[in-house]
Amino acid sequence: GSFSCQQCDANTFSFPGSDSCTPCPRGALCPGGLECALRNPGFTCTSDPSFRIAGTWVADRSKGLYELESCPAGTEKVSSSEASNALQECRACNPENEYIVRPDSDTCQLCPLGAVCDGSSLRTKGDLQGAEWEVVGKQYFLRKCPTGFRLVNDTGYQDQQCVRCSEGEYILRSDLACQPCPKSALCPNGGPPLMGGASGGVDHPAL
């Protein structure tokens, strides 16, 4: 019998010497989905030379496949062990309301109420100084709020936030409740009472 070489479709790839064409993993398709970057030098796209596929892809020639090894910040890795070779990709987290701690092992997480997220990281809403977050597993948990703020973290993950005490109130520690400022004291910034204030806490709002 005779052998002949046939060109694979643009949205598939093949290793030298292989007798079959393999469908392109979702995360290695070029814009438009008609070209597979894995078939090109440097994993580039002839249809869009400025485009780069996300992640580190490693050839497994024994299987005739490419494995997605790692993903960049702001994406979650969908591996062949989780789905299939065809569904491998670095799936982008929502830059409006999600974050991710470890792209290669975690999944995108919704942003808690008291935070601002950009797809990869989390920061306290309003750039509030003194708030402390702790990573537990694949999520951030709010552990502490600054002076004058009450910690809300016991009504569900999504509701975590630092809530400012009302005018004329103070708080000794962020995991306690806000209390009325004694009439004979000042409570600057909602902090502990300073006895001997001139006209009471109500006239001195928490800033």
Side-chain angles (χ1 to χ4, degrees):
S2 60
F3 294 93
S4 63
C5 294
Q6 293 182 324
Q7 187 167 7
C8 291
D9 292 338
N11 64 350
T12 65
F13 69 90
S14 178
F15 288 110
S18 174
D19 59 359
S20 63
C21 302
T22 303
C24 193
R26 179 187 290 170
L29 286 168
C30 296
L34 300 179
E35 181 185 10
C36 186
L38 299 177
R39 60 189 284 131
N40 301 326
F43 298 158
T44 56
C45 296
T46 56
S47 56
D48 187 350
S50 64
F51 179 80
R52 291 291 181 272
I53 59 173
T56 301
W57 297 81
V58 177
D60 185 340
R61 295 184 181 274
S62 65
K63 296 179 181 177
L65 300 169
Y66 279 97
E67 291 282 352
L68 178 57
E69 192 171 75
S70 64
C71 287
T75 65
E76 64 179 25
K77 185 174 80 168
V78 180
S79 66
S80 57
S81 60
E82 294 171 304
S84 67
N85 288 298
L87 296 178
Q88 293 181 98
E89 66 172 327
C90 294
R91 184 185 296 149
C93 300
N94 189 322
E96 300 294 326
N97 64 357
E98 290 185 333
Y99 70 90
I100 189 166
V101 179
R102 293 169 287 265
D104 292 339
S105 58
D106 295 339
T107 53
C108 302
Q109 300 294 314
L110 279 174
C111 204
L113 197 58
V116 176
C117 301
D118 61 7
S120 60
S121 61
L122 170 152
R123 72 177 192 276
T124 310
K125 188 172 288 185
D127 290 324
L128 196 61
Q129 298 300 308
E132 295 179 8
W133 297 83
E134 179 187 8
V135 174
V136 179
K138 58 187 177 182
Q139 294 177 317
Y140 278 102
F141 286 86
L142 185 58
R143 297 304 192 205
K144 185 180 178 183
C145 294
T147 299
F149 287 81
R150 179 172 56 89
L151 172 64
V152 177
N153 68 350
D154 58 355
T155 57
Y157 172 78
Q158 280 301 112
D159 295 331
Q160 298 179 95
Q161 59 179 319
C162 291
V163 178
R164 186 191 293 271
C165 290
S166 299
E167 186 174 315
E169 290 186 333
Y170 75 96
I171 191 167
L172 293 176
R173 211 174 59 217
S174 61
D175 59 340
L176 300 175
C178 299
Q179 304 284 340
C181 189
K183 293 191 183 306
S184 60
L186 293 177
C187 298
N189 299 317
L194 301 177
M195 305 310 290
S199 56
V202 175
D203 295 326
H204 299 268
L207 300 177

